[in-house]
Amino acid sequence: QVQLVESGGGLVRAGGSLRLSCAASGRTTFSSYDMAWFRQAPGKERESVAVIMWNGVSTHYADSVKGRFTISRDNAKSTVYLQMNSLKPEDTAVYYCAARSISSSLYDYWGRGTQVTVSS
């Protein structure tokens, strides 16, 4: 079992930055999981924002955030981060952290989310 807790959300003006953190805990090895950030805006489906593989070597981003967001992880601290720069009002959403076992194709564990609101 993995417990995930997000933090770092808030209200920011367009063009600003935020750094989200997701701390993992539980009787497991954090480096055994690929990690991802998803987001869900009101009235929209949840979408994948960024993914980082278990070893931190490979990352993937949604086209809408490429060049603005950076995902990273610190396996020693069991934490994954999402640095968000040049924020836009359309980035407003609840951001969720998720974990996927490297042997799985599905994200098995989810955090409760953190709200990010970008004002124009």
Side-chain angles (χ1 to χ4, degrees):
Q1 286 283 8
V2 178
Q3 291 81 45
L4 302 173
V5 179
E6 303 96 337
S7 61
L11 173 64
V12 64
R13 289 189 176 183
S17 298
L18 283 175
R19 188 194 196 202
L20 305 183
S21 299
C22 172
S25 62
R27 299 178 64 181
T28 188
T29 303
F30 182 69
S31 59
S32 298
Y33 294 87
D34 299 330
M35 300 298 297
W37 287 95
F38 288 76
R39 68 185 181 187
Q40 187 167 20
K44 295 187 177 181
E45 294 191 355
R46 184 171 59 195
E47 62 173 345
S48 174
V49 174
V51 180
I52 187 166
M53 297 300 110
W54 62 274
N55 57 8
V57 172
S58 181
T59 58
H60 305 278
Y61 296 92
D63 288 342
S64 58
V65 307
K66 280 181 181 176
R68 300 188 299 120
F69 290 11
T70 302
I71 189 171
S72 62
R73 66 190 295 162
D74 185 338
N75 284 347
K77 294 183 178 180
S78 298
T79 301
V80 62
Y81 305 96
L82 186 68
Q83 178 66 45
M84 305 186 294
N85 299 329
S86 302
L87 283 161
K88 304 175 181 180
E90 51 263 44
D91 294 319
T92 295
V94 178
Y95 284 71
Y96 299 91
C97 174
R100 176 181 69 192
S101 169
I102 57 177
S103 62
S104 174
S105 61
L106 300 175
Y107 287 93
D108 304 304
Y109 304 101
W110 294 82
R112 300 185 69 173
T114 185
Q115 176 71 47
V116 171
T117 303
V118 185
S119 63
S120 56

